[in-house]
């Protein structure tokens, strides 16, 4: 029988997409990932009048792709493409490390 070693056990301790099982468990029980929190904080600072900011890591927790929903008066009288450009500009640095971004913007209904 071969001796146990961390290197030999590593494949057994991996979860979905090669992420450690502990990471997967943390994602199941955490309300937001670190990446979601960071993106949310940036958007709150850039869109202080937003009534809704929801950031969801849709890459399984690795931070490669996010879905963002923002409802703000700042989007009033702007076309959708302009609204999305505003979000892209706010996240310019973070986008460099992402593979994709889904953006949904709206203006509050009064």
């Amino acid at each position: 029988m071969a001796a146990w070693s961390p290197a030999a056990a590593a494949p057994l301790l991996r979860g979905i997409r090669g992420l450690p099982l502990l990471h997967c468990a943390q994602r199941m029980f955490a309300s937001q990932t670190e990446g979601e929190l960071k993106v949310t904080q940036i958007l709150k600072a850039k869109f202080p009048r937003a009534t809704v900011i929801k950031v969801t890591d849709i890459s399984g927790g690795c931070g490669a792709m996010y879905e963002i929903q923002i409802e703000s008066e700042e989007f009033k009288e702007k076309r959708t493409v302009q609204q999305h450009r505003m979000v892209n500009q706010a996240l310019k640095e973070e986008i460099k490390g992402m593979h994709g971004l889904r953006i949904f913007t709206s203006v509050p209904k009064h």
Side-chain angles (χ1 to χ4, degrees):
M1 177 182 259
W4 180 88
S5 73
L12 301 173
L13 299 174
R14 295 274 172 203
I16 301 167
R17 294 187 198 97
L19 294 172
L21 289 175
L22 178 60
H23 175 82
C24 294
Q26 287 173 338
R27 177 62 181 140
M28 287 190 308
F29 298 109
S31 57
Q32 280 193 305
T33 65
E34 287 181 35
E36 289 169 339
L37 287 170
K38 182 178 180 182
V39 171
T40 300
Q41 290 171 346
I42 292 167
L43 293 172
K44 283 182 178 180
K46 298 289 183 175
F47 300 97
R49 296 177 12 210
T51 53
V52 173
I53 295 180
K54 184 178 178 194
V55 177
T56 307
D57 184 337
I58 57 175
S59 63
C62 70
M65 188 163 181
Y66 291 92
E67 180 175 291
I68 296 172
Q69 298 174 16
I70 304 178
E71 183 177 278
S72 179
E73 285 290 333
E74 288 136 310
F75 298 137
K76 193 172 186 173
E77 298 182 8
K78 290 187 173 34
R79 293 176 295 148
T80 302
V81 71
Q82 292 171 313
Q83 296 171 10
H84 289 203
R85 283 183 185 151
M86 291 169 68
V87 175
N88 283 323
Q89 183 62 33
L91 298 173
K92 181 171 59 175
E93 290 303 311
E94 288 67 29
I95 287 173
K96 292 176 183 177
M98 295 179 193
H99 292 286
L101 190 60
R102 284 190 207 160
I103 301 172
F104 299 93
T105 55
S106 61
V107 177
K109 296 176 178 99
H110 294 236

